[in-house]
Amino acid sequence: VALSPVLNAGRFDLGFYVGRAYGLLASSFVLLVLLIEANALYARLVEAHDNRMRRLDILRGIDRAIAAEESPDAIAAAVIQPLRELLGVPRAVINVFDLAAGEVEWLAAAGRWRIRTGPGVRYSLKLMGDIDALRRGEAQVIDTHSLPPGPEVDALLKSGVHVYMAIPTIAGGDLIGGGGFGRELA
């Protein structure tokens, strides 16, 4: 401003300087917004990385548990809680299928189960959905309300399980069991 009389031959052009100041202020505001957005994006990337590393640690723990245990019961008991955490579901169960008897036996369960659970609990194979689809390796999303009525379905509904997923376990080309993962409806 002090040099303006010299540069403008004795004239002071207030509009010129106000325009420059406004442009500088506006560009500084845009830069500030961009920096805030970049910081938020960086925070989301760090959180995604941390989540990915946590899931990788869970998978490594599951792998170690499978390698350390020999019996299916011990493997199921060792991996059920980490598996539930990995999938982010409140309920998880690992089953063994007895196709000849038409039954499923729970090996391990984790989460908020309010019905009787644990090794030795048997229930109808019908609760696992389309068995032929499971034999083909296809997971099933099961609406509990669409199942045939009975005490097992009543127990599921009473415990808050309205929808769940059955994921097959196939060994040597045969359907041997599966996992069930459920959550309450919001």
Side-chain angles (χ1 to χ4, degrees):
V1 173
L3 292 177
S4 68
V6 174
L7 296 175
N8 292 318
R11 289 179 305 156
F12 177 73
D13 188 1
L14 181 62
F16 173 78
Y17 292 107
V18 169
R20 290 286 182 165
Y22 179 74
L24 181 61
L25 184 62
S27 61
S28 296
F29 179 74
V30 169
L31 181 59
L32 178 64
V33 168
L34 289 174
L35 286 173
I36 290 170
E37 285 299 314
N39 188 43
L41 178 60
Y42 178 74
R44 287 193 305 265
L45 287 173
V46 167
E47 182 181 353
H49 177 267
D50 290 347
N51 286 339
R52 189 172 296 118
M53 294 308 293
R54 183 182 56 81
R55 289 190 304 263
L56 186 57
D57 287 343
I58 292 170
L59 285 171
R60 286 181 182 137
I62 290 171
D63 184 53
R64 283 190 299 273
I66 291 171
E69 302 295 343
E70 292 186 16
S71 76
D73 291 348
I75 291 171
V79 303
I80 189 66
Q81 183 62 29
L83 187 59
R84 186 191 70 79
E85 183 182 342
L86 179 70
L87 296 173
V89 294
R91 302 165 188 235
V93 63
I94 296 177
N95 304 302
V96 173
F97 294 175
D98 184 347
L99 298 175
E103 293 182 330
V104 175
E105 180 179 352
W106 285 4
L107 291 184
R112 296 187 309 257
W113 293 93
R114 286 171 270 176
I115 55 177
R116 198 173 132 239
T117 64
V121 174
R122 296 176 78 85
Y123 55 95
S124 172
L125 195 58
K126 293 176 185 174
L127 294 181
M128 297 308 292
D130 182 355
I131 298 304
D132 290 330
L134 289 171
R135 282 185 173 133
R136 292 189 302 270
E138 299 171 11
Q140 303 290 304
V141 176
I142 300 158
D143 177 358
T144 309
H145 298 280
S146 68
L147 294 170
E152 294 164 325
V153 173
D154 292 343
L156 283 171
L157 291 170
K158 184 178 179 183
S159 72
V161 178
H162 296 273
V163 176
Y164 59 99
M165 177 176 264
I167 299 175
T169 301
I170 298 174
D174 295 326
L175 179 64
I176 61 166
F181 308 98
R183 66 174 56 249
E184 296 91 346
L185 292 177

